[in-house]
Amino acid sequence: MSAELRPVSAASVTSWDHEADVVIAGYGVAGATAAVEAARAGADVLVLERAGAWGGAAALAGGFIYLGGGTPLQTACGFSDSIDNMAAFLNTAMGPGADTERIADYCAGSVAHFEWLVDCGVPFKPEFFGEPGWEPLGDQGLMYSGGEDAYPFNTIAEPAPRGHVPKMQNKKQGQASAGFMLMKPLVQTATGLGVQSVYDVRVQALIVESDGRVVGITARQYGTDIAIKARSGVVLATGSFAYNESMMARFTPRIAGRPISAVEHHDGQGIRMAQALGADLAHTDATEVAFLVDPQQLVRGILVNARGQRYVAEDTYPGRAGQHTLYYQEDKAFLIIDEQGQDGALASQTPKLILRKPKWVCETVAELEAEMGLPFGSLQDTVARYNEGAERGEDPLLHKKARWLRPLGSPIGAIDLRHATGGFSLGGLRTSLSAEVLHVSGEPIPGLYAAGRCTAGLAAWGYASGISLGDGSFYGRRAGRSAARG
Amino acid sequence: MSAELRPVSAASVTSWDHEADVVIAGYGVAGATAAVEAARAGADVLVLERAGAWGGAAALAGGFIYLGGGTPLQTACGFSDSIDNMAAFLNTAMGPGADTERIADYCAGSVAHFEWLVDCGVPFKPEFFGEPGWEPLGDQGLMYSGGEDAYPFNTIAEPAPRGHVPKMQNKKQGQASAGFMLMKPLVQTATGLGVQSVYDVRVQALIVESDGRVVGITARQYGTDIAIKARSGVVLATGSFAYNESMMARFTPRIAGRPISAVEHHDGQGIRMAQALGADLAHTDATEVAFLVDPQQLVRGILVNARGQRYVAEDTYPGRAGQHTLYYQEDKAFLIIDEQGQDGALASQTPKLILRKPKWVCETVAELEAEMGLPFGSLQDTVARYNEGAERGEDPLLHKKARWLRPLGSPIGAIDLRHATGGFSLGGLRTSLSAEVLHVSGEPIPGLYAAGRCTAGLAAWGYASGISLGDGSFYGRRAGRSAARG
């Protein structure tokens, strides 16, 4: 079975089961956008999807698309932004080691990309959602999704919300996710352009000419081996490796075994097929981190590590709080919250189901510290300093916004957030800005293109919600156009 | 030039410039040990070295070889150890994500490996060096080199020193490094066994048969392309990618541009040549971290981050303090030390040249905190709690050993340790325990073997001094034997 990854010589293929100009592996957001652009460029397009239907992880996602630089939606909601301002944020937030060239490219094309999505029929409601949360509570179209308005980013770039969310129908009935509302019009657009698709197909290996050019894919469908010819180019859009245990153990061991926001088809197959041809990798240690706590609670408490120390502003992007917990605090955190804070969270608009209860509740901080087994004095010092600043409306340590500063009182409790993270891999194939897959030599592999989470995109280490649907759709389009050109 | 990485078809090679049973790329510790074992297995061996002489990074290194489980040297110095005890330490210290199978293999063979080195003529003086330091001050043969006797490891396994250092001649005159005293007898042993070597040869690409078997290497020597035939096997022992800017930026961006303890020949060429054949990678984010501060100072002060908080026991392995600084504290640290501590460091046996001076000196902690620009109260709380514990001979926060606990007095200063780290990459090719290079399919690539820092060895993330010479020599031997068998 593993040998199926090895490149297959075109000369050994005796008959082709399917044939198209552009063959795309994976019908998530990268595959769908690639299909639309390849078809518009005049190519005959075939999409191979492993599942029984289009959608991928995108259709199940919260639906944020990270866009900015002054999109019509930002403007309609009263926010100003610029390409440089957006790049300044991303260069810091996506690092350390952010790919500034890719970020500049993405930011420069962001407004046009928004318009392209709208043109494909993706709906956005011009309304801003300003409360803490993982996603808007209603069908609002815009939200802060990367901590742009929190420290330290609010000192690096002018805060602007860039999480663009497709408008959901029947949100209250839970009948659709915003990701579905992104995918549905994209697939309808592709279908309208004549894009063909085949489902329940597991891609196995790339087919190459003797000169190294990729000219097709082998796959299995219902137990049968098939060969698909790509006259112009192959696009890999097969998603992350979050469900490949070996890859996770070797590249991102801290989060191995805890995939979140991924689909089990994300087994790294596309990455490995290309590696077998000498394709290079990048940022394989980067991960999105989901932090399993409600942001409505997070902002009302103080987050401390196993030494009782605060380490990240509680009003930052919750995924960033999760990253700092997983990577900097060895996945050990506690949220210290008093009765008033917990009541405030309970009274928030957040669905009550996802609020957590404190594991420990005490009358005093000293008692709480002892019950939790924290080093003597550590939590007492932390709370005393926090309260002292909060009285003045300041947080000298972490610069949490004044809106959320209030001295913690009694009773006081702690929510156990040890090992409360999960996520998916962000690294993968190294590609050019034209979505060509790069060989370890640095040169493109002829005929092979890739986009989405099987590639390293905007994120080198940091992350913001909407980056994956953002770079997946942006470079998916590039991949489609490049593959159509051949 | 970049195209030179691509595998070359054996059929296209019209004449061979050199030929041997086993061809080894790189004459550092992995190459030398591979050469000895391949020759002892009866193979005709040729080593290709890029530099003008054998040695690699090993010959310039401090010379620690991480060995244990009850070596004669440990016993002679009065320490007991066991295979399980050593594995318990490494499984924690080399993680998160440590390869327990490889660690078990390495620990089980550790005593025999020590005896093998001694048999090759590597000298060890049975004397223990127990002071803080990056390496022994004299020619002592044994030292703690991974924080085994410090928290948290002293609660996980019975502390035993495992840093085995070859005895230097003329150490005081600085005429040799301990790494040289490892390499010299290994190369002499190899030479005595008839191993041939060629210098000033830059390997370029692997030569493969049509069935995928590796049968040679192409290289450049003095501007001429040459081809070297390997009748039995090729061993890659080309070192890390610390000097490959592109790889460092994509895999370990936090330390990119600051190589330490590496040689500039460590450009990742061996890794990339194998990747071009579909070889897989592992732990590409792992790095050794040198922390540019004298351990004699480190133990006498308290290490705080940019929030004035302590985060790692100051008497742990200094490389671990460096890792926690670089990766957990965004490379920002300050060492708070009082006059008595600084005087103690100055009075230590350490060469005075490498001791650092405080950047700020004040009468009180409050003044120091303000001068350093730390958040108000942060350092005052930290020092007060530390002093309170030190009075009792305890460090509840980080469990620094009582030997080093003393309340900090006045005057008090801070040594600036921001961006005071550097290091080399620890990840690389994925190999079997037999040192076969593994294809992304998980199967060995026929004819191709690797060891040393072009492979992922014992370290998944954490590190201890001596791990690289340890796994490089241990799996170098395996690579030599495997390649001789073919």
Side-chain angles (χ1 to χ4, degrees):
Chain A
M1 155 151 187
S2 55
E4 290 167 347
L5 282 167
R6 292 177 193 272
V8 171
S9 158
S12 72
V13 179
T14 52
S15 72
W16 299 97
D17 299 277
H18 298 281
E19 189 171 334
D21 294 329
V22 173
V23 174
I24 298 169
Y27 214 164
V29 72
T33 50
V36 169
E37 291 288 62
R40 285 185 180 166
D44 168 34
V45 181
L46 176 66
V47 187
L48 312 173
E49 167 57 42
R50 178 172 157 173
W54 53 264
L60 304 172
F64 280 116
I65 308 156
Y66 200 89
L67 297 166
T71 66
L73 189 70
Q74 287 181 308
T75 306
C77 291
F79 293 96
S80 63
D81 195 8
S82 71
I83 293 170
D84 288 350
N85 190 50
M86 180 182 179
F89 170 78
L90 287 175
N91 285 338
T92 300
M94 297 298 105
D99 181 344
T100 55
E101 195 187 353
R102 184 176 296 273
I103 286 170
D105 177 56
Y106 183 83
C107 294
S110 189
V111 169
H113 188 51
F114 173 81
E115 287 164 350
W116 184 90
L117 291 168
V118 170
D119 183 61
C120 284
V122 182
F124 295 95
K125 183 178 178 184
E127 188 179 329
F128 173 68
F129 182 76
E131 288 302 303
W134 282 103
E135 51 190 73
L137 206 59
D139 58 359
Q140 299 89 347
L142 190 66
M143 186 174 163
Y144 283 107
S145 67
E148 296 84 351
D149 62 335
Y151 189 84
F153 304 118
N154 57 8
T155 68
I156 289 162
E158 190 64 34
R162 301 192 186 95
H164 289 58
V165 193
K167 183 177 181 347
M168 283 173 277
Q169 291 160 337
N170 308 316
K171 162 119 185 184
K172 277 164 197 162
Q173 289 74 35
Q175 291 176 343
S177 70
F180 181 85
M181 296 307 298
L182 167 66
M183 285 303 298
K184 192 178 172 190
L186 290 176
V187 172
Q188 284 175 336
T189 302
T191 305
L193 290 163
V195 167
Q196 301 286 310
S197 52
V198 192
Y199 297 99
D200 300 304
V201 175
R202 295 169 79 113
V203 295
Q204 304 288 352
L206 294 164
I207 301 172
V208 291
E209 288 287 359
S210 56
D211 63 359
R213 183 177 187 81
V214 175
V215 294
I217 297 187
T218 64
R220 282 185 76 82
Q221 188 181 32
Y222 308 127
T224 304
D225 292 319
I226 60 174
I228 304 98
K229 182 170 183 173
R231 287 182 293 257
S232 180
V234 165
V235 176
L236 298 174
T238 50
S240 82
F241 58 88
Y243 275 89
N244 183 309
E245 286 180 26
S246 168
M247 292 178 78
M248 292 298 280
R250 282 182 284 120
F251 295 127
T252 68
R254 289 175 201 252
I255 208 165
R258 305 199 306 281
I260 290 184
S261 305
V263 292
E264 62 188 37
H265 306 137
H266 284 188
D267 62 358
Q269 180 73 9
I271 298 171
R272 292 154 76 220
M273 285 162 57
Q275 275 187 277
L277 267 186
D280 213 344
L281 301 176
H283 299 300
T284 34
D285 63 326
T287 61
E288 181 264 2
V289 176
F291 196 26
L292 303 176
V293 59
D294 195 291
Q296 288 282 353
Q297 291 184 307
L298 203 49
V299 293
R300 289 176 167 84
I302 61 170
L303 194 60
V304 301
N305 62 21
R307 298 186 294 272
Q309 302 162 330
R310 290 177 70 214
Y311 56 92
V312 72
E314 295 83 2
D315 60 348
T316 191
Y317 167 52
R320 185 165 174 269
Q323 280 198 315
H324 282 233
T325 302
L326 174 61
Y327 290 102
Y328 295 171
Q329 311 302 334
E330 303 190 329
D331 216 16
K332 292 172 196 155
F334 305 95
L335 184 68
I336 310 300
I337 193 164
D338 66 4
E339 192 170 48
Q340 189 179 334
Q342 183 74 353
D343 287 349
L346 283 165
S348 75
Q349 299 169 295
T350 298
K352 304 296 175 284
L353 285 175
I354 60 173
L355 289 170
R356 282 178 178 252
K357 284 188 180 155
K359 180 170 175 176
W360 303 270
V361 178
C362 295
E363 288 303 307
T364 70
V365 176
E367 287 165 359
L368 183 63
E369 176 185 276
E371 286 230 355
M372 294 169 70
L374 294 178
F376 178 79
S378 60
L379 188 63
Q380 297 180 67
D381 287 351
T382 297
V383 173
R385 284 292 171 195
Y386 177 78
N387 283 355
E388 176 188 281
E391 292 280 6
R392 299 193 308 270
E394 289 174 17
D395 176 15
L397 196 72
L398 294 168
H399 310 284
K400 188 172 166 177
K401 289 187 289 291
R403 175 183 172 190
W404 300 112
L405 295 175
R406 181 184 57 73
L408 295 172
S410 176
I412 190 160
I415 296 169
D416 190 353
L417 295 175
R418 287 174 295 188
H419 310 297
T421 55
F424 57 87
S425 59
L426 295 172
L429 296 171
R430 184 184 180 202
T431 54
S432 71
L433 297 183
S434 304
E436 301 157 308
V437 174
L438 298 177
H439 187 265
V440 285
S441 67
E443 296 164 357
I445 296 176
L448 189 63
Y449 309 88
R453 270 305 59 79
C454 66
T455 69
L458 292 172
W461 184 83
Y463 194 66
S465 284
I467 289 295
S468 285
L469 296 184
D471 71 30
S473 56
F474 191 88
Y475 291 103
R477 293 175 57 200
R478 291 274 176 88
R481 287 202 296 271
S482 295
R485 265 199 309 272
Chain B
M1 153 156 188
S2 55
E4 291 167 348
L5 282 166
R6 293 177 192 273
V8 171
S9 159
S12 71
V13 179
T14 51
S15 72
W16 299 97
D17 299 277
H18 298 281
E19 188 170 333
D21 294 330
V22 173
V23 174
I24 299 169
Y27 214 164
V29 72
T33 50
V36 169
E37 290 288 62
R40 285 187 179 164
D44 168 34
V45 180
L46 176 67
V47 187
L48 313 173
E49 167 57 43
R50 178 171 157 175
W54 54 263
L60 305 173
F64 280 117
I65 309 156
Y66 201 89
L67 297 166
T71 67
L73 189 71
Q74 288 180 308
T75 305
C77 292
F79 294 97
S80 63
D81 195 8
S82 72
I83 293 169
D84 288 349
N85 190 50
M86 180 182 179
F89 170 78
L90 287 175
N91 285 337
T92 300
M94 296 298 105
D99 181 344
T100 55
E101 195 186 353
R102 183 175 297 272
I103 287 170
D105 177 56
Y106 182 83
C107 295
S110 188
V111 170
H113 187 52
F114 173 80
E115 287 163 351
W116 184 91
L117 291 168
V118 170
D119 183 61
C120 284
V122 182
F124 295 95
K125 182 179 179 185
E127 187 180 331
F128 173 68
F129 182 76
E131 289 301 302
W134 281 102
E135 51 190 75
L137 205 58
D139 59 359
Q140 299 90 345
L142 191 66
M143 184 175 164
Y144 283 106
S145 67
E148 296 84 351
D149 61 336
Y151 189 84
F153 304 119
N154 57 7
T155 68
I156 288 161
E158 191 64 35
R162 301 193 185 92
H164 289 57
V165 193
K167 183 176 180 350
M168 282 172 279
Q169 293 160 334
N170 308 318
K171 161 116 185 187
K172 278 166 195 161
Q173 288 74 34
Q175 290 176 346
S177 70
F180 182 84
M181 295 308 298
L182 168 66
M183 286 302 298
K184 191 178 172 190
L186 290 176
V187 172
Q188 283 175 337
T189 302
T191 304
L193 290 162
V195 167
Q196 300 287 310
S197 51
V198 192
Y199 297 98
D200 300 306
V201 174
R202 296 169 78 113
V203 295
Q204 302 288 352
L206 295 165
I207 301 172
V208 290
E209 289 287 359
S210 56
D211 63 0
R213 183 176 186 83
V214 175
V215 294
I217 297 187
T218 64
R220 283 186 76 81
Q221 187 181 32
Y222 309 127
T224 304
D225 290 319
I226 61 174
I228 304 99
K229 183 170 183 174
R231 287 183 293 259
S232 180
V234 166
V235 176
L236 298 173
T238 50
S240 82
F241 57 89
Y243 275 90
N244 183 308
E245 285 180 27
S246 167
M247 292 177 78
M248 291 298 279
R250 284 183 282 118
F251 294 127
T252 68
R254 288 176 202 250
I255 209 165
R258 305 199 306 281
I260 291 184
S261 305
V263 292
E264 63 188 36
H265 307 137
H266 284 188
D267 62 358
Q269 179 74 8
I271 298 171
R272 292 154 74 218
M273 284 162 58
Q275 276 188 277
L277 267 186
D280 213 345
L281 301 176
H283 300 301
T284 35
D285 63 326
T287 61
E288 182 264 3
V289 176
F291 196 26
L292 304 175
V293 59
D294 195 290
Q296 287 283 354
Q297 291 184 308
L298 203 50
V299 293
R300 287 175 168 83
I302 62 171
L303 194 61
V304 302
N305 61 21
R307 298 185 295 271
Q309 302 161 330
R310 289 177 71 214
Y311 55 92
V312 73
E314 295 82 2
D315 60 349
T316 191
Y317 167 53
R320 185 165 173 268
Q323 280 197 315
H324 281 235
T325 301
L326 174 60
Y327 289 103
Y328 294 173
Q329 311 303 335
E330 302 189 329
D331 216 16
K332 292 173 197 156
F334 305 95
L335 184 69
I336 310 300
I337 192 163
D338 65 6
E339 193 169 49
Q340 188 180 335
Q342 182 75 351
D343 287 349
L346 283 165
S348 74
Q349 298 169 297
T350 297
K352 304 297 173 285
L353 285 174
I354 60 174
L355 288 169
R356 282 178 179 253
K357 285 188 179 154
K359 178 169 176 177
W360 303 270
V361 179
C362 295
E363 289 302 308
T364 70
V365 176
E367 288 164 0
L368 183 64
E369 177 186 274
E371 287 230 354
M372 294 170 68
L374 294 179
F376 179 78
S378 61
L379 187 63
Q380 296 180 67
D381 287 351
T382 297
V383 173
R385 284 292 170 195
Y386 177 77
N387 284 356
E388 176 188 280
E391 293 279 7
R392 298 193 309 271
E394 289 173 18
D395 176 16
L397 196 72
L398 294 169
H399 309 284
K400 187 172 167 177
K401 289 188 290 290
R403 174 183 174 190
W404 301 112
L405 295 174
R406 182 183 57 73
L408 294 171
S410 177
I412 190 160
I415 295 169
D416 190 352
L417 295 175
R418 289 175 293 189
H419 309 298
T421 56
F424 58 86
S425 59
L426 295 171
L429 296 170
R430 185 184 179 203
T431 53
S432 71
L433 297 184
S434 303
E436 301 156 309
V437 174
L438 298 178
H439 186 265
V440 285
S441 66
E443 296 164 355
I445 296 175
L448 189 63
Y449 309 87
R453 271 303 62 80
C454 68
T455 68
L458 291 171
W461 184 83
Y463 193 66
S465 285
I467 288 295
S468 285
L469 295 184
D471 72 28
S473 56
F474 191 88
Y475 291 102
R477 293 175 57 201
R478 291 274 176 89
R481 288 201 297 271
S482 294
R485 262 198 311 271

